[in-house]
Amino acid sequence: MTAAAYTSNRSSGLRDFIPRLPAGVWSLSGFSLLWFGGIVLPLLAIIVVSFLQGRGLKINFDPTILQYKRFFSYGGGEMLARSVRIAGTVTMIELLLAFPFALWLAKGCKNNTVRLLTFTALTVPFFLSPAARVIVWRSVFGINGVVNQILLGVGIVDEPVLWLIFSEFSVHFGFIGAFFPTMVWPIFLSVSLIDNDFLEASGDLGASRLRTLLHIILPLALPGIVAGFVFTFIPMLGDAVVASHMGGNNVLMLAAQVQSLIGVSNFLVAAALAAVVLAIMLAFQVLLWLALKPVGGLAGVFASLRR
Amino acid sequence: MKHSKHLYFGLSRRHFIKGAAAGAAIVGAPAVLKGLTRRSKAAEKGVIRMLFTAPTMIPGDWTTFEKDTGLKMEDTVIKDDPGIFLTEVQVNDAGERFDLISTLSGTEQSLIDGGNIMQMEASAMSNWSGMPASIQSMPYLVRDLSPDAGKVWGVPMAMNADSFGYLPAKLDEPRPPEEASWSLVFESEKTMGRSSTGDNYIYLWEALAYLKNTGQLAVKDILNPSPEEAKATADFLIKRKEAGQFRLFWKIFDDQIAVMKNGEVDAIRCWEPAVNEVNKAGGDWVYATATEFYTKWMHAAYITSQVEDRGNLDEVYIALNWFLSGGYAATITPLRGYLNGRPDLAVDYANSNGMDDISATMDAAQEKMALKFAKEDFWFSAVPENLQEMQAQMDRVLNA
C-alpha cells in the first residue's frame, strides 16, 4: 500500500460526508451562513413579529396589521418622513462640504504635518461620547449662548433668537458636525487612489481643471461617494443623540421613536416600525440601482478600484 | 500598474490585519471575561450587587453603607423606562447578576407574575416594624398584590411628591410654602416659550392630572387613565405646543439641570434634586408647593429570586435593613430632599456618628412631605394599565 493510499484510507467518519470543496468556497459558505443567521433571520423575525398581537413580553400568534395601523395613527408616518428628509438633506450638505475638503486633503495638501493634523482633527471626535460631541453646541446656540450674545451685542436683534437651539435648524447643524468625518474618509480614500498620471495626462491633453474634475476625478471617486453616502445617511437615520440634545425632543426622529416604544415594552409596534424602515431601505436600494445604471451599476462604480 | 502592499506610514496589510485582530482581542477580552464570570461574581461573599433605575437613589457614595453593614455595594444604574427595566430583569435575567433590584413602584405585579422577585420576611429587617403604618401599607408594595395580598414584596427606599421648579422673582410668583399653579408649566402666558416638561407618559399623565384638577377634563380614575382621556390630554398638549409654550421636552436628569442653568426656561417640571443642584451653582429656583396635585412616587427594592439559591440571603436582608436605617435617612434626605421609610432615625444617627446637625433639614423634609402627601392626587405607578397607549399619545405630542 502506498503512503497516499494509506492516507486516503485513514479518512473516515464525518469527513467522508463533507464535500471536498476548495477553501474559498468553504469561506464563502461560512460567511453566507453567518450573514443569514446573524442578519437575515433576525430581520425576518422582526417582520413576522410585526404582524402579531400581544402586550409586553406576552405575544399570541394571530396575524394582524393592527401594529402598523397603530404606528401610523400615532404620527409615525410624519416621523419617518421627517427623519428621511433631515438625514437626506444633511447627507447632501455633507457631500458638498466633504468632497472639496477630501480632494484638497488627498491631492492638494503637500505638507505631511498639516495632513497628519487634519487626520487627527477628523479622528479625535470619535474618542468622545456622541453626547459630548454635540452638547457643546448648546452653549454656543443657547438663549444665553455665544451667538445670541454677539447678535444682541452688535444690535442685530433685540431679543435672543430662540430657533438656534431645540429646533430643526439645530438638529441639521448638529448632524453636520457629527457626520462630517464619515463622509470625508471614504471620499478621501477613493480620491487618493486616483493615479496622478491621469490628472497630468488630462491637463496635457488640454482639459480645463473643471473638465478634469467632472470627467476624471468624479467618476473615479464615485466608490468613495457612494460609500460616504451609505456611511453617513444610514447611521444618521439611527442616531438618537443629536435629535434629542439639539432638538430637545421637539424634532422626534427614528431612533428616539424606537427608544420610546421599547421603553414601554411596545415591541410589536417597534417591530412594525423596523419593518417599515426596512421597506424604505429596500426602496433606496432600488433608487440607487436605477441612479447608477448609466455607469454600469454598483459593479461599474467599483470597477475603478480594480485598476 | 504595480499595487503596493503598504498603506500609509509603511503599514503592511498583513500587519494591519494582525494589529486589528490583536486590538479587537484586547478591547473585547474584558467584556468576554466579564460575561463568563458574571454569574459567579453575583454570589461573592460580602458583596451586594444592586440594579438601580435612578442615580438619585444612590447616597453620594457607599461609604456609610459599607461602614454600617460591613458589606460592599456594587451599583449599576439603567434608565427608568419600565420596558427597559422589565426587559433587563425578565429577558436578560438580571437576577443572575444582581441580588437586589430597585425601581419605581408599580412594577411589582409584573415581577411577581414573572417569578423574578422573592417574598420578604419583614421580621428579618429590624427597622421594618418602626415604619409608620401609612408607609408600610403604601400602594403597590404590600397591598392588592396576588397571590398572598398583604405579604411584603418590597422595601421602601425613598419617596417624594414631585412638582415643578420655577423662578419666583422673575415670574413674580410666590415662594414655597405658598402655592404655585402647574399652569406655569402648561399654559401660562408668563412662561410662553420658556417652560418645559419631560418626554414620556409620566408627563402626559401629569398634564391629565392638571386638566382634571382645573376642571378641563373629566377623569374617571386618575390612577389608570383611559386611552380616550390620554388622547384628550395629548390634544391639549399639542395645542399648547403649537402655541409655542414649550421650549423643549427633556429626556434625562442632566437635561433638566442644563436648561435651568443655561437660562433656557423659567418653569420646568423637574426632579427636586435638579433644583438643589442649580441653586448650588447660584440659581434662585424653588420647588413648587403645587396648587393642583403632586406626583407621589416611591422607589422600592426587591430581592431577586435567584438569591435563594446563592445563599447570601442574610447579607441581602442586612443591606435592605440599611435602606430603612438612620444611616440612609441621614444621607439621602440632606442630599436629595427625599425621605426613606425611617426618617425618625436620622437625627440620632447623625449625632452619634459625628455628622453635621441635620435636625432642621429632617424636620423641614418631613413637614414638606406631610403637606404634599395630604393632597389627594395622585400615586404614580410605573406600569399603569394603558401604559402603551399613554406613551403613544405622548409620542403624538412630540411628533406634532
Side-chain angles (χ1 to χ4, degrees):
Chain A
M1 187 188 281
T2 63
Y6 176 77
T7 310
S8 171
N9 284 345
R10 275 181 58 196
S11 304
S12 61
L14 188 62
R15 283 188 190 178
D16 290 343
F17 295 98
I18 300 172
R20 292 172 188 284
L21 297 172
V25 175
W26 276 117
S27 306
L28 194 63
S29 308
F31 278 118
S32 300
L33 204 65
L34 275 176
W35 180 74
F36 186 79
I39 308 284
V40 178
L41 269 184
L43 287 178
L44 287 176
I46 285 173
I47 293 168
V48 170
V49 168
S50 73
F51 288 103
L52 299 178
Q53 296 186 51
R55 200 170 187 84
L57 299 172
K58 293 170 189 158
I59 292 172
N60 65 50
F61 290 85
D62 295 329
T64 176
I65 56 164
L66 184 66
Q67 313 310 337
Y68 290 88
K69 279 185 179 170
R70 280 186 176 157
F71 171 66
F72 284 104
S73 71
Y74 297 140
E78 290 92 322
M79 181 278 300
L80 274 178
R82 183 188 306 122
S83 301
V84 171
R85 174 170 53 78
I86 292 175
T89 308
V90 176
T91 304
M92 294 315 294
I93 294 170
E94 296 283 22
L95 181 59
L96 292 174
L97 295 173
F99 188 82
F101 183 78
L103 186 60
W104 165 77
L105 197 59
K107 298 293 179 191
C109 179
K110 305 295 179 196
N111 186 324
N112 277 339
T113 310
V114 174
R115 185 180 277 183
L116 194 65
L117 285 173
T118 312
F119 282 146
T120 309
L122 284 173
T123 313
V124 162
F126 289 103
F127 288 95
L128 300 171
S129 78
R133 261 184 267 164
V134 296
I135 204 87
V136 67
W137 293 116
R138 279 198 182 176
S139 52
V140 175
F141 290 125
I143 211 160
N144 294 318
V146 177
V147 174
N148 266 318
Q149 293 296 329
I150 292 170
L151 293 175
L152 287 166
V154 175
I156 295 173
V157 294
D158 298 327
E159 290 189 346
V161 182
L162 296 181
W163 54 260
L164 289 174
I165 196 83
F166 307 136
S167 63
E168 275 208 16
F169 164 80
S170 57
V171 172
H172 280 85
F173 190 89
F175 275 134
I176 288 172
F179 285 89
F180 186 64
T182 62
M183 183 64 91
V184 168
W185 278 109
I187 299 177
F188 165 76
L189 286 173
S190 64
V191 173
S192 295
L193 289 173
I194 299 172
D195 198 324
N196 285 338
D197 292 347
F198 291 168
L199 309 182
E200 284 163 17
S202 174
D204 292 346
L205 292 169
S208 65
R209 287 179 173 226
L210 182 64
R211 200 173 169 82
T212 303
L213 175 71
L214 294 177
H215 293 277
I216 307 290
I217 297 174
L218 213 51
L220 292 174
L222 215 48
I225 293 171
V226 172
F229 187 88
V230 170
F231 289 140
T232 305
F233 178 76
I234 293 175
M236 204 184 300
L237 265 187
D239 184 279
V241 173
V242 173
S244 173
H245 284 84
M246 299 292 282
N249 290 312
N250 283 318
V251 187
L252 193 67
M253 287 182 70
L254 185 61
Q257 180 75 79
V258 173
Q259 284 182 348
S260 157
L261 291 164
I262 300 294
V264 294
S265 303
N266 203 345
F267 303 115
L268 300 180
V269 176
L273 167 60
V276 173
V277 172
L278 197 62
I280 291 173
M281 287 296 117
L282 286 174
F284 272 117
Q285 292 270 21
V286 173
L287 283 176
L288 188 66
W289 177 74
L290 288 173
L292 296 177
K293 215 174 167 186
V295 291
L298 213 52
V301 167
F302 287 95
S304 62
L305 294 176
R306 290 200 293 268
R307 281 176 291 111
Chain B
M1 187 175 147
K2 195 177 175 214
H3 289 273
S4 169
K5 284 187 179 173
H6 288 77
L7 302 170
Y8 284 94
F9 312 115
L11 185 67
S12 78
R13 285 175 192 154
R14 188 181 295 274
H15 281 117
F16 177 78
I17 292 167
K18 272 186 182 172
I26 290 165
V27 170
V32 173
L33 288 173
K34 195 176 172 188
L36 291 173
T37 58
R38 69 185 188 182
R39 181 180 289 248
S40 59
K41 276 182 78 176
E44 197 179 314
K45 189 115 182 95
V47 179
I48 298 295
R49 291 188 170 80
M50 187 162 180
L51 178 69
F52 290 86
T53 59
T56 48
M57 291 300 112
I58 296 170
D61 59 40
W62 294 104
T63 314
T64 311
F65 172 85
E66 290 173 2
K67 180 170 71 73
D68 292 352
T69 63
L71 299 168
K72 189 173 179 297
M73 174 65 83
E74 289 187 1
D75 59 65
T76 300
V77 184
I78 60 169
K79 202 167 180 311
D80 62 351
D81 291 333
I84 290 172
F85 174 75
L86 288 174
T87 302
E88 185 63 15
V89 174
Q90 299 186 323
V91 180
N92 298 334
D93 286 328
E96 299 290 345
R97 285 162 284 135
F98 299 101
D99 304 306
L100 292 169
I101 54 176
S102 157
T103 193
L104 277 163
S105 242
T107 54
E108 288 83 356
Q109 193 64 63
S110 301
L111 297 170
I112 294 168
D113 292 344
N116 310 113
I117 57 174
M118 279 174 61
Q119 204 171 83
M120 294 180 182
E121 291 298 332
S123 58
M125 296 169 282
S126 58
N127 291 328
W128 178 276
S129 59
M131 221 172 13
S134 57
I135 298 179
Q136 284 185 21
S137 61
M138 274 196 176
Y140 317 123
L141 274 189
V142 295
R143 205 176 68 186
D144 302 332
L145 298 172
S146 63
D148 305 322
K151 299 281 179 165
V152 178
W153 289 93
V155 165
M157 288 183 61
M159 65 198 88
N160 201 7
D162 277 4
S163 60
F164 56 93
Y166 63 98
L167 289 165
K170 185 172 182 185
L171 296 173
D172 195 20
E173 289 284 329
R175 288 175 178 273
E178 277 192 69
E179 291 183 343
S181 170
W182 276 90
S183 64
L184 288 174
V185 174
F186 293 121
E187 57 178 350
S188 170
E189 283 299 320
K190 282 200 260 187
T191 56
M192 182 64 77
R194 297 184 62 87
S195 76
S196 175
T197 187
D199 72 340
N200 69 34
Y201 69 99
I202 300 171
Y203 310 103
L204 180 103
W205 202 345
E206 288 176 345
L208 183 140
Y210 170 73
L211 293 178
K212 180 200 166 205
N213 280 280
T214 52
Q216 297 183 62
L217 181 70
V219 177
K220 200 173 165 191
D221 178 9
I222 186 77
L223 298 183
N224 270 309
S226 68
E228 295 74 26
E229 290 162 356
K231 182 179 179 306
T233 307
D235 290 342
F236 163 76
L237 285 174
I238 289 169
K239 267 189 199 160
R240 297 312 306 153
K241 185 181 177 186
E242 287 171 352
Q245 182 74 51
F246 305 111
R247 182 82 175 112
L248 79 156
F249 295 86
W250 53 260
K251 186 174 275 302
I252 54 172
F253 180 57
D254 290 346
D255 277 349
Q256 302 165 26
I257 297 170
V259 295
M260 289 160 84
K261 269 187 182 169
N262 294 343
E264 298 288 345
V265 292
D266 296 336
I268 179 172
R269 190 308 186 201
C270 62
W271 303 354
E272 190 165 358
V275 168
N276 299 339
E277 289 293 324
V278 177
N279 285 344
K280 274 185 213 164
D284 184 30
W285 286 80
V286 294
Y287 203 61
T289 306
T291 309
E292 296 88 1
F293 68 93
Y294 293 97
T295 306
K296 297 184 260 185
W297 58 263
M298 173 194 285
H299 265 258
Y302 313 95
I303 307 175
T304 57
S305 299
Q306 289 86 337
V307 166
E308 198 155 30
D309 296 332
R310 276 204 288 269
N312 61 338
L313 192 56
D314 290 347
E315 290 179 348
V316 168
Y317 273 123
I318 291 171
L320 283 174
N321 197 47
W322 185 81
F323 285 112
L324 292 173
S325 73
Y328 189 52
T331 46
I332 200 73
T333 304
L335 186 66
R336 309 290 189 200
Y338 301 159
L339 286 189
N340 77 337
R342 294 299 304 271
D344 55 307
L345 301 176
V347 174
D348 282 349
Y349 179 91
N351 291 342
S352 57
N353 283 276
M355 295 167 71
D356 293 339
D357 181 16
I358 56 167
S359 52
T361 306
M362 293 308 299
D363 287 347
Q366 289 181 86
E367 264 175 43
K368 175 196 76 177
M369 208 65 83
L371 175 77
K372 292 184 175 181
F373 271 62
K375 275 269 196 254
E376 192 183 337
D377 283 344
F378 67 96
W379 259 108
F380 166 81
S381 159
V383 191
E385 280 174 21
N386 296 303
L387 168 66
Q388 294 181 359
E389 286 76 7
M390 288 169 73
Q391 181 60 51
Q393 290 299 338
M394 192 64 199
D395 288 345
R396 201 162 66 84
V397 175
L398 300 181
N399 268 317

